[in-house]
Amino acid sequence: MRPIGIFDSGIGGLTVARAIHDLLPEESILYFGDTAHLPYGEKSPVLIRRYSSRIAKHLVDSGCKAIVVACNSASSNALEAIKAAVGPSIPVVDMVTPMVSYIYSKNPESRVGLIGTRATISSGVYEIGFAGVSDAITLLSRATPLLASAIEEGFYNDSIPRAVLEAYLSDDFFTDIDSIILGCTHYPLVRKEVKTLLSSNVEVIDSPSIIAGELKNQLIKHQLLEDNSQTVEHHFQVSDLTENFRKSAQYFFGEDLKLEEVSL
Ligand code: DGL
């Protein structure tokens, strides 16, 4: 049975892997965390493209039938390179396109906040996406570079991400927004903390479930949806196996993991 290939720089993409597993329990997953090269958010587009296309090719060579780029920094800077690396027959789901469609379909005239890594924010990819669908969506975006590192280090549900978020969110920059995109796959791990810092009517968008929904649509479209759960098997690979990743991966995926180190 051919798995879904999912990759990120580290543990962040596990938020997406979890949502995919919840929505499509009969699908197997091959996850790759590029822990040897994180953080992607501080890398140049050239380097992000090089790492991402190498991983995408590795996943397809390992038999994956579809690729999920579970990293906003890679989705923003390397999508075309990834598609070129895997070829036209493999569906590729990125983090940005489904979010733009979701927000546009919910409210084509709205004020949207975006937080993400430097690489994501400086790519301007969300601005380009919204400009392509509506001229009545105002995007307010801010890079929040400390946040992913704090989460990667295992700080969630505690005062450290709260203090970091306060530093980034407690001025008036995001006043009057209708929704906010957590534009980094690490951030759903501090979604609750983001919620408490913003006004209660701001939708803190649940991106992993939207991405999982888009993957399902793509699998149906390409007639790749699995309907037999007998042979489900998940594999988790990292480019540098650390105890920290092992613990976090276990915690976030919520199941026993087969973790192996693979250098590309
Ligand atoms: N999870 C990655 C993203 O969504 C960022 C973490 C990193 O900087 O490596 O952008």
Side-chain angles (χ1 to χ4, degrees):
M1 165 179 186
R2 296 171 71 199
I4 309 294
I6 305 174
F7 76 92
D8 179 41
S9 58
I11 59 166
L14 289 170
T15 58
V16 180
R18 184 70 235 178
I20 289 171
H21 179 55
D22 290 344
L23 184 69
L24 301 167
E26 43 304 285
E27 298 292 343
S28 294
I29 289 171
L30 171 54
Y31 184 91
F32 193 97
D34 195 8
T35 46
H37 296 128
L38 65 85
Y40 278 14
E42 297 298 312
K43 300 286 186 300
S44 67
V46 173
L47 220 45
I48 297 172
R49 280 197 279 276
R50 187 180 308 154
Y51 295 149
S52 303
S53 41
R54 204 183 285 161
I55 296 166
K57 175 144 187 352
H58 160 69
L59 293 172
V60 170
D61 289 348
S62 305
C64 293
K65 61 181 176 182
I67 299 296
V68 178
V69 187
C71 172
N72 277 263
S73 306
S75 298
S76 306
N77 289 280
L79 189 57
E80 291 317 310
I82 292 165
K83 286 183 174 169
V86 303
S89 62
I90 302 287
V92 176
V93 176
D94 69 292
M95 294 302 300
V96 179
T97 320
M99 295 302 287
V100 169
S101 306
Y102 171 82
I103 288 168
Y104 175 70
S105 68
K106 266 204 105 175
N107 187 352
E109 296 179 12
S110 58
R111 281 170 64 83
V112 180
L114 166 69
I115 52 174
T117 65
R118 279 203 182 96
T120 295
I121 301 300
S122 62
S123 74
V125 76
Y126 280 93
E127 281 82 352
I128 296 166
F130 285 122
V133 292
S134 166
D135 51 16
I137 292 178
T138 305
L139 183 70
L140 302 159
S141 59
R142 175 174 273 179
T144 50
L146 272 181
L147 202 49
S149 317
I151 296 166
E152 191 73 40
E153 269 308 303
F155 295 113
Y156 19 81
N157 301 329
D158 74 9
S159 56
I160 292 181
R162 239 169 278 143
V164 172
L165 277 165
E166 244 163 48
Y168 288 131
L169 298 183
S170 56
D171 59 7
D172 289 337
F173 188 72
F174 288 115
T175 305
D176 290 337
I177 52 171
D178 301 293
S179 59
I180 188 162
I181 302 169
L182 303 183
C184 170
T185 51
H186 286 62
Y187 298 176
L189 302 175
V190 294
R191 184 160 177 253
K192 253 196 336 229
E193 286 76 7
V194 173
K195 263 177 174 264
T196 59
L197 286 169
L198 295 171
S199 131
S200 59
N201 54 0
V202 175
E203 182 188 4
V204 181
I205 303 170
D206 180 17
S207 20
S209 67
I210 292 167
I211 303 306
E214 174 59 16
L215 172 65
K216 185 174 181 184
N217 294 339
Q218 290 295 325
L219 293 177
I220 293 170
K221 187 173 151 198
H222 290 83
Q223 298 182 323
L224 290 169
L225 199 64
E226 191 57 53
D227 53 11
N228 171 7
S229 59
Q230 298 296 308
T231 51
V232 173
E233 217 178 282
H234 302 314
H235 291 267
F236 296 81
Q237 301 178 339
V238 282
S239 46
D240 183 30
L241 184 50
T242 59
E243 201 40 43
N244 186 33
F245 186 88
R246 192 191 294 281
K247 275 198 224 126
S248 304
Q250 203 95 22
Y251 178 72
F252 287 113
F253 202 72
E255 286 176 21
D256 249 6
L257 302 179
K258 291 177 186 163
L259 210 54
E260 60 176 315
E261 189 173 278
V262 173
S263 49
L264 297 181

